[in-house]
Amino acid sequence: MASDTKPLGQDFTQSVIDATGPNATPRMRTVMAALIQHVHDFARDVDLTMDEWLAGVDMINWAGRMSSDRRNEGQLLCDVLGLESLVDDITVRAANKAGKPSTSTAILGPFWRADAPVRENGTTITFDTPSDGQVTFMHGQITCADTGRPLAKAKVDVWQASTNGLYEQQDEKQVDHNLRGVFVTDAEGRYSFYCLRPTPYPVPMDGPAGKLLKLLDRHEYRPAHIHLIVTADGYKSLTTQIFDSKSDYLTDDSVFAVKDGLTVDFVPLKDNPKAEYDLEYNVKLAAA
Amino acid sequence: MASDTKPLGQDFTQSVIDATGPNATPRMRTVMAALIQHVHDFARDVDLTMDEWLAGVDMINWAGRMSSDRRNEGQLLCDVLGLESLVDDITVRAANKAGKPSTSTAILGPFWRADAPVRENGTTITFDTPSDGQVTFMHGQITCADTGRPLAKAKVDVWQASTNGLYEQQDEKQVDHNLRGVFVTDAEGRYSFYCLRPTPYPVPMDGPAGKLLKLLDRHEYRPAHIHLIVTADGYKSLTTQIFDSKSDYLTDDSVFAVKDGLTVDFVPLKDNPKAEYDLEYNVKLAAA
């Protein structure tokens, strides 16, 4: 009846790990053993209380309730703790272990859509351009990281927020698939389109990720960026974000996605009535 | 443009920790620094991939979608990893550091209700008793752990599943508050009521906790138990579970709640037409 028994220490943690049965896959066994070990050590390191743990459970349940096909709050909770950036880095390094350096990667984020329309090179992704929007002509070449050979028929899937900080699926006033499109490279591996010079924006603050940022006394802003996924047959697909080198928040991105080699310069244009800035962005893909 | 930069190591993790602002509380800073450190180390220890991380995010979001005022799947996910038992142990030890040994604790679980009815001593909590139910007369005395003095007007809040493995809020066929009630001790600190001898039951398998148990090749059963919360003015409240010493799954509870000192013996009764078993359970409360 007395509680003068030993605290639940490493023996207890090992017993939880050892409950895994013989038919679990080796990878599942490895991943969950490490997760159990770290979660238990975390609780012991800080003498986590029931009230604190229940507050964490509430945040997890709240994240799930807010998530839909248009929003992934569980992902955002991880993002503000730097986990997606870290996992992206681990994954890409493992995949590229044997290959030559290709273009740097960044996190997918929660706003990509699988059904973005294919558009013609030289056309635009900005419709109903806002009055404070600065139209940019973005173009570049997709090449093989090993040989430098241009890759025809590569796909450049691009998306960005408008100047009000909202992606089109967050904003009823934007037309469907505004600031979003897929471009297919020509025989010389080239793509081009008009878009907006991106602007910083806050991550959504109405859920548990926002609550956590407030509790941590952190701001919610992301530096100005454009999202890209580049794919080509026979090559590893590349998910990245490019950041305006003049943007605020490059050193304190609320989701920690800025890495070396991902900042780009927007060059003022004088002779193009359709755009204020030029942005050249070339991508090297690693062979699969 | 090359990705031959350094992996995101401890420098990166420290930068995420250091993003916490000056107005976060010291406790929030401490807890989140440890959480970030352990979550990042976990990802690095197992080279966590994007697909694996996204599978984890999906489980968290799924847990939130399933949770309601009648079900807490985020809590259950933690429970099958032993976290609630560990945090309960940490919390109670911290609270009792200075006091004498009191009765052992166990996890609250997701089925307690705040609005259970107060019932008279000697009455029953089992209504529409199932044909395979074995009625038990449960009784005992609540005393002060320091002095041994009986505690009058202490409250014993009790709840248990029926023999089909369901608590009343999970089962439309049980009357509201079946197998649930609050008893107030008499002048000698005594309480008594009729209940069921508990039977093992599975945790719900239709959500992410069930999926995780399957992936870990683990069974879903809990040993037969009765939940109790005992409170008295001037004393620390005690949340516990008592386990039938003859039950299956005492050594492999799916939520790791069984601890030393929590098993009890159900003694066959011969002379009570209203019950097949007798269960005496006395509780020592520590002064607040």
Side-chain angles (χ1 to χ4, degrees), chain A residues 1-8, chain B residues 89 93 101 104-105 259-261:
Chain A
M1 181 164 288
S3 66
D4 52 354
T5 50
K6 281 188 199 166
L8 295 183
Chain B
D89 190 65
R93 275 171 202 286
S104 288
T105 60
K259 293 198 288 188
D260 291 347

Side-chain angles (χ1 to χ4, degrees), chain A residues 63-102:
Chain A
R65 284 198 307 275
M66 288 196 100
S67 295
S68 66
D69 57 350
R70 296 194 161 217
R71 176 163 186 181
N72 190 330
E73 187 76 12
Q75 178 170 357
L76 188 60
L77 258 184
C78 293
D79 289 0
V80 301
L81 300 180
L83 184 59
E84 185 176 2
S85 276
L86 176 58
V87 171
D88 171 67
D89 189 65
I90 290 168
T91 305
V92 171
R93 276 171 202 285
N96 288 349
K97 225 173 230 172
K100 288 202 177 177
S102 53

Side-chain angles (χ1 to χ4, degrees), chain B:
Chain B
M1 180 166 287
S3 66
D4 51 356
T5 49
K6 281 188 198 166
L8 296 183
Q10 293 299 335
D11 285 358
F12 173 72
T13 298
Q14 195 60 48
S15 74
V16 176
I17 292 171
D18 291 346
T20 301
N23 296 314
T25 66
R27 179 63 180 166
M28 179 62 55
R29 184 183 305 276
T30 299
V31 169
M32 291 307 299
L35 181 64
I36 292 164
Q37 184 70 57
H38 277 293
V39 167
H40 285 206
D41 285 345
F42 156 65
R44 281 187 287 254
D45 281 358
V46 299
D47 285 331
L48 194 69
T49 69
M50 286 297 281
D51 288 347
E52 289 166 344
W53 167 70
L54 282 168
V57 169
D58 283 348
M59 289 186 91
I60 283 176
N61 286 335
W62 183 14
R65 284 197 308 275
M66 288 197 100
S67 295
S68 66
D69 57 350
R70 296 193 160 218
R71 177 164 185 179
N72 191 330
E73 186 76 12
Q75 178 170 358
L76 188 60
L77 257 184
C78 294
D79 289 359
V80 300
L81 300 180
L83 184 59
E84 185 176 2
S85 275
L86 176 58
V87 171
D88 171 67
D89 190 65
I90 291 168
T91 305
V92 171
R93 275 171 202 286
N96 288 348
K97 226 171 229 172
K100 288 202 179 177
S102 54
T103 298
S104 288
T105 60
I107 62 178
L108 178 66
F111 298 112
W112 178 72
R113 284 179 65 177
D115 59 346
V118 175
R119 304 188 194 275
E120 290 290 313
N121 281 309
T123 64
T124 189
I125 62 170
T126 173
F127 305 95
D128 304 323
T129 300
S131 59
D132 58 348
Q134 298 179 307
V135 176
T136 296
F137 182 61
M138 179 168 168
H139 57 95
Q141 193 179 28
I142 316 299
T143 56
C144 171
D146 284 316
T147 65
R149 185 171 65 86
L151 298 179
K153 295 186 183 171
K155 286 182 182 167
V156 178
D157 187 347
V158 59
W159 67 105
Q160 66 176 165
S162 188
T163 56
N164 64 359
L166 297 175
Y167 289 84
E168 48 90 15
Q169 71 263 61
Q170 301 175 286
D171 185 1
E172 287 184 4
K173 292 182 181 162
Q174 293 180 49
V175 300
D176 198 35
H177 292 297
N178 189 35
L179 297 172
R180 187 184 298 278
V182 177
F183 296 86
V184 181
T185 57
D186 63 17
E188 291 175 330
R190 296 190 184 280
Y191 73 92
S192 63
F193 55 84
Y194 291 90
C195 61
L196 292 180
R197 183 172 182 172
T199 44
Y201 65 80
V203 299
M205 287 296 281
D206 56 340
K211 180 175 178 181
L212 187 58
L213 286 173
K214 281 180 198 152
L215 288 169
L216 291 172
D217 187 27
R218 280 172 45 187
H219 74 75
E220 61 267 35
Y221 281 88
R222 301 218 52 216
H225 64 277
I226 297 173
H227 291 269
L228 295 168
I229 298 177
V230 183
T231 54
D233 283 350
Y235 290 82
K236 288 171 186 151
S237 73
L238 178 93
T239 302
T240 196
Q241 297 176 32
I242 51 178
F243 296 90
D244 184 341
S245 62
K246 299 286 191 300
S247 176
D248 288 335
Y249 311 113
L250 285 175
T251 59
D252 58 346
D253 181 1
S254 59
V255 301
F256 306 97
V258 183
K259 293 198 288 188
D260 291 347
L262 292 178
T263 53
V264 292
D265 294 318
F266 288 77
V267 180
L269 273 177
K270 286 178 183 162
D271 52 0
N272 186 338
K274 289 161 78 178
E276 291 181 65
Y277 293 95
D278 181 271
L279 173 61
E280 179 176 7
Y281 189 67
N282 303 312
V283 173
K284 295 178 188 173
L285 288 186

